[in-house]
Amino acid sequence: MLQITFLLLLVIVFIAGFIFLLFRTIFLVITVEGASMLPLLQHGDRLLVLRHFGIRQLRKGEVVIIKPPAEIQKGFASGEPAQVYYVKRLVALAGETVTDTLPVSLQAKMPVTREAEGQVEPRLKSWQVPAKHIFVCGDNRQNSLDSRTWGPLPQRSIVGIMLRKLAPSRNATYAKVSTRLEAVPSANFLPPGTPAPAFSAATVNGEICELATYAGKPLVLFFIASERLSRLFIPNYATLARQIAGQSNPAILFACGVELAQAQALVEEFQIEVPVLVTPRATHSLFHDYKIIGTPCYCLIDAQGRLKRDGFLSSGSPQPNRRLSPI
């Protein structure tokens, strides 16, 4: 009887192990970082992904998980996870032509043309997708590193296809996720020690605020929008600022990447008592100048006006951007 029970237990363990290995072979569970797929996917969303083995035919419009090009991977600093993935939408297949708006970082290198006085022509470019290649873009075009920068990618770059979003995990922590998404190489960020870009912007009260105002003291600059994760951390911003700066009374400033009415609504909702800059991505250069790829996040500027540390804010706690400044 004991022998039968033991054999039955071994069979159950074997079957459970087989199912687990089969699941790991066929599926991935990954956590999104960044904002390139807003509004569909938000920073912190967990995804169930079907691994792509090249058997299933690809369809335009699918959300895919890809490996970045080899030259991009070389830009990652030492200490990064062995593999970094991106989540994007498949917008074109082999043989198709894509015309889209260039990313802001490339627009600055293009000559400005005008259709008529005072009207700037959209900076568009066309790409021809070669055989066995794909073209991918983030839904949030203003905040996405994708094929508009890289060009078409080989189909073998696809790791998997998103099946669905999963419920949030109470035990998930970004620091422990090895297949992180939206990790951008250090070449696309301001490195530590870089002089913080000067800025001048109006607050929600109409006052003009400049970086020079904070000369001689550490400044924690929070970048936010009106999305869910920004709202999660705002109530604890003072405590987080002290934690980030490592001192009891740092200067605090918000940069809000939305229009005035939305920024005012956030101030009223959370009773924010520090200055809140109105810096919409479409009309103000602050987010671009600081190479911000997603919200909520932070930058710590030291008393000498140099970038010391930055990273995402996740579930109310700062997560360091290890490509820039390990904590």
Side-chain angles (χ1 to χ4, degrees):
M1 185 65 181
L2 287 175
Q3 187 175 6
I4 295 175
T5 303
F6 178 72
L7 289 175
L8 182 60
L9 181 61
L10 282 179
V11 170
I12 292 173
V13 170
F14 176 80
I15 293 174
F18 177 77
I19 292 174
F20 175 76
L21 290 175
L22 184 64
F23 181 88
R24 292 291 299 270
T25 301
I26 299 176
F27 301 102
L28 284 172
V29 177
I30 50 183
T31 303
V32 176
E33 283 188 9
S36 76
M37 285 298 291
L38 286 174
L40 175 67
L41 302 177
Q42 299 198 33
H43 181 65
D45 282 346
R46 296 172 67 242
L47 311 178
L48 178 63
V49 176
L50 175 66
R51 290 182 187 268
H52 180 65
F53 298 103
I55 301 173
R56 178 182 172 281
Q57 186 174 1
L58 298 170
R59 294 192 292 267
K60 282 199 302 183
E62 292 182 313
V63 175
V64 295
I65 283 68
I66 61 168
K67 293 181 291 187
E71 62 271 18
I72 297 298
Q73 294 187 55
K74 291 177 183 177
F76 288 101
S78 59
E80 280 295 299
Q83 181 60 57
V84 179
Y85 300 143
Y86 287 69
V87 56
K88 303 295 174 187
R89 190 175 297 280
L90 184 57
V91 299
L93 299 170
E96 297 181 333
T97 300
V98 182
T99 300
D100 209 326
T101 306
L102 281 170
V104 175
S105 59
L106 296 183
Q107 286 185 23
K109 302 175 184 178
M110 298 281 290
V112 176
T113 58
R114 298 180 183 274
E115 294 177 331
E117 187 64 30
Q119 294 183 343
V120 179
E121 206 175 69
R123 296 178 181 183
L124 303 176
K125 182 178 178 180
S126 294
W127 296 264
Q128 181 69 36
V129 184
K132 297 183 179 180
H133 281 65
I134 56 171
F135 197 93
V136 296
C137 289
D139 287 357
N140 183 5
R141 294 291 199 274
Q142 292 184 347
N143 192 27
S144 177
L145 181 66
D146 49 41
S147 285
R148 295 171 302 153
T149 299
W150 308 323
L153 299 175
Q155 287 185 9
R156 64 178 180 273
S157 301
I158 298 178
V159 176
I161 300 165
M162 188 189 91
L163 295 178
R164 57 171 297 175
K165 287 196 286 187
L166 299 175
S169 172
R170 294 182 180 179
N171 298 321
T173 59
Y174 294 103
K176 296 180 180 178
V177 176
S178 59
T179 53
R180 297 181 303 139
L181 301 182
E182 300 308 324
V184 180
S186 56
N188 290 280
F189 281 86
L190 296 176
T194 299
F199 59 79
S200 178
T203 68
V204 292
N205 297 323
E207 301 172 351
I208 300 299
C209 183
E210 300 179 343
L211 178 62
T213 306
Y214 299 92
K217 53 187 174 183
L219 169 66
V220 179
L221 179 56
F222 288 120
F223 292 86
I224 62 171
S226 56
E227 94 292 342
R228 173 174 55 89
L229 280 172
S230 287
R231 293 173 178 274
L232 284 176
F233 106 88
I234 289 175
N236 300 315
Y237 73 84
T239 301
L240 291 169
R242 290 192 292 268
Q243 180 183 347
I244 292 165
Q247 59 175 263
S248 60
N249 192 30
I252 304 172
L253 186 63
F254 280 91
C256 198
V258 296
E259 299 295 337
L260 176 60
Q262 292 174 287
Q264 288 175 330
L266 285 173
V267 172
E268 293 174 5
E269 179 180 352
F270 295 101
Q271 296 296 299
I272 302 174
E273 298 179 350
V274 299
V276 177
L277 305 181
V278 182
T279 54
R281 291 176 180 272
T283 58
H284 200 284
S285 66
L286 182 62
F287 276 66
H288 172 64
D289 292 344
Y290 278 77
K291 310 297 183 186
I292 301 303
I293 64 167
T295 55
C297 64
Y298 67 91
C299 287
L300 174 61
I301 301 169
D302 65 20
Q304 289 72 47
R306 295 183 179 276
L307 182 66
K308 184 176 181 181
R309 176 180 300 168
D310 65 7
F312 284 113
L313 290 157
S314 172
S315 299
S317 61
Q319 299 296 331
N321 181 341
R322 291 178 290 168
R323 295 166 299 284
L324 288 180
S325 46
I327 293 178

